[in-house]
Amino acid sequence: MKNIISVERLKKRLTQGNIVIVDVRFNLMDADAGRKAYLQGHLPGSVYMDLNRDLSGKAGKHGGNHPLPDWDLFANKLGKLGISNDTAVVVYDQGNDMFAPRFWWLLDYLGHEKVYILDGGLDRWIAEGGELTTAVPNLQPTIFRSNKKENRYVSMEEVKEKIGSPETTIIDARARARYLGDEEPMYARAGHIPGAVNYFWKGVLKEDGTWKNAEQLREHFSELDQDAEIIVSCGSGVSACPNILALDNAGFKNVKLYPGSFSDWISYEKNEVAVGEEDE
């Protein structure tokens, strides 16, 4: 599966140079936990990027809890970390979590073609004998030039216009209980965007927690029309990203992120929210 790298391959790749490793561990319930974990031990040579401070813009009344970052500022941060357009980049979570795919999506949107997620994250690295360090590297700054891809994400207004369209499928990547509205630990309203179908993002992983291969992902998404426009949402545009990567590997060509997702949707009081199964 492209954009996924094993621990074994990463160990070999480290000997070839021109690579930057990025640690994006994060905890939505404890915003400082990821940075603290990085300082306590990380892959040798890796740098840290924070979901709130680096991979997102400032949250406001609308736009969701994790709006997209300012692209010029984000590109400048990448350059300061030694990431150029030709640098191979490997990003990792604690395990196969949602934050590494968010980082992958941001760089993919900016046109970077050499971004790989470490399968199994730091946990798998340790399990396969990889060492950790507390040393923070000093990387040589460079310049990253954005080459943004078109039609990769949509606004709330676009989502609203396409509800019910036979040419568009809206996916909700959250856990099923949250999709159904049975529980909602983070937001003032529970349920989902009307018309959305539920594909919990962890469904793209095998029972052992590693990524499914392309054939398995095609089976996972077999009920979707490959010719349709697929809009992927979640709570705030983070856990949607594993599904986007998986859909890409399954051969879907017209896949877009709704960055604000449900947290943006419910920030507009007039927007309806559905609960229960869509066919009820």
Side-chain angles (χ1 to χ4, degrees), residues 207-226:
E207 289 186 5
D208 66 358
T210 60
W211 282 81
K212 291 180 177 178
N213 61 35
E215 182 179 351
Q216 291 168 325
L217 291 172
R218 284 191 289 271
E219 174 62 27
H220 179 64
F221 294 116
S222 62
E223 294 186 6
L224 299 178
D225 182 357
Q226 286 216 356

Side-chain angles (χ1 to χ4, degrees), residues 23 25 36-43 46 92 122 132-134:
D23 183 322
R25 285 177 287 168
K36 290 177 180 177
Y38 169 79
L39 294 174
Q40 292 169 0
H42 49 264
L43 269 67
S46 65
Y92 69 89
L122 183 138
L132 300 182
T133 182
T134 57

Side-chain angles (χ1 to χ4, degrees), residues 65 69 102 156 174 196 240 260:
N65 283 16
R102 165 77 170 209
M156 185 280 292
R174 294 174 300 157

Side-chain angles (χ1 to χ4, degrees), residues 62-79:
H62 301 300
N65 283 16
H66 295 102
L68 297 178
D70 176 277
W71 294 116
D72 291 337
L73 179 60
F74 183 62
N76 185 54
K77 287 181 178 181
L78 294 174

Side-chain angles (χ1 to χ4, degrees), residues 2-17:
K2 64 180 182 178
N3 300 112
I4 304 296
I5 188 171
S6 66
V7 169
E8 181 181 3
R9 283 181 56 206
L10 175 57
K11 288 179 178 178
K12 292 178 180 178
R13 183 64 182 80
L14 288 173
T15 65
Q16 301 173 19

Side-chain angles (χ1 to χ4, degrees), residues 75-94:
N76 185 54
K77 287 181 178 181
L78 294 174
K80 287 183 177 180
L81 293 177
I83 298 174
S84 73
N85 300 74
D86 297 322
T87 306
V89 182
V90 174
V91 59
Y92 69 89
D93 272 308
Q94 186 69 40

